[in-house]
Amino acid sequence: FRGFSGSIVGGKVTKGDAIVALPSGGRSRVKGVHGPDGEVDSAEAGEAVTVTLADEIDVSRGDVLVSEAAAAGVSRSFSGDLLWMANRPLIQGGRLILKIASAQTPATLTTLDAAIDIHSYEAKPADALSMNEIGRVTLTAERPVVALPYGENRDLGAFILIDPVSNETVALGVVRSIGEAEAA
């Protein structure tokens, strides 16, 4: 059978639920929920499952299945706080690979909004971030991604940035707010 495997990061999934695949917007119903010991009626956050759907819809690695009633942030841009971990400075306009949950896409550091003083937590204007500095940034992804503020969902609200040339993880961060929603 064709199933989609992953972890439930919020709420629960039940056989018969109406779902939407994000960011594509494909719609279907849950035909079956399979846990480690076989088919179950439902599963909750924290469980790893395989879900089968009633219809053939486009679901790819990095997509998120949500309840038709659930609000999820699908956008190409978001603001966040990050810790810069590379030897070279982070500057506005830098191209990186954004990884959020299991989705991965090229992204641009649209704005470096501020550097955060680690002693006073005060935001100050900055042109660059050096190693181990914390910054408030706006990122724009090449393709829409599903993200939520970290306070709402840790799995869809945490991200890493990867250098596209060296494949080195250069930053880790949390989503603060989502940009304008993309049509699903």
Side-chain angles (χ1 to χ4, degrees):
F1 65 88
R2 182 176 184 213
F4 303 98
S5 298
S7 295
I8 301 172
V9 299
K12 95 186 239 186
V13 63
T14 303
K15 191 174 180 176
D17 284 351
I19 60 94
V20 178
L22 297 177
S24 70
R27 296 176 184 277
S28 186
R29 289 204 169 275
V30 175
K31 182 176 175 184
V33 180
H34 302 269
D37 297 322
E39 192 165 3
V40 295
D41 290 330
S42 65
E44 297 182 0
E47 295 184 61
V49 296
T50 298
V51 175
T52 56
L53 302 177
D55 306 289
E56 290 287 328
I57 62 172
D58 183 27
V59 179
S60 302
R61 178 176 178 81
D63 288 0
V64 178
L65 300 178
V66 300
S67 164
E68 233 178 29
V74 177
S75 180
R76 288 186 52 236
S77 68
F78 63 87
S79 67
D81 292 341
L82 62 78
L83 169 66
W84 185 248
M85 302 184 306
N87 287 327
R88 69 188 177 291
L90 172 66
I91 55 171
Q92 189 168 305
R95 298 272 301 155
L96 302 153
I97 303 295
L98 166 68
K99 184 168 189 223
I100 187 162
S102 61
Q104 194 167 305
T105 183
T108 302
L109 180 74
T110 311
T111 60
L112 175 53
D113 303 314
I116 308 296
D117 184 295
I118 62 169
H119 302 293
S120 68
Y121 303 109
E122 190 178 330
K124 298 177 180 180
D127 295 325
L129 287 181
S130 299
M131 182 188 280
N132 295 328
E133 284 190 310
I134 298 171
R136 186 152 294 149
V137 301
T138 301
L139 293 163
T140 301
E142 196 171 277
R143 292 184 302 276
V145 294
V146 179
L148 291 171
Y150 186 78
E152 291 179 31
N153 187 296
R154 295 170 120 187
D155 294 290
L156 296 174
F159 64 90
I160 63 172
L161 296 175
I162 302 165
D163 181 293
V165 175
S166 69
N167 210 30
E168 168 191 19
T169 300
V170 292
L172 51 93
V174 295
V175 176
R176 293 180 60 84
S177 65
I178 311 302
E180 189 174 318
E182 299 277 327

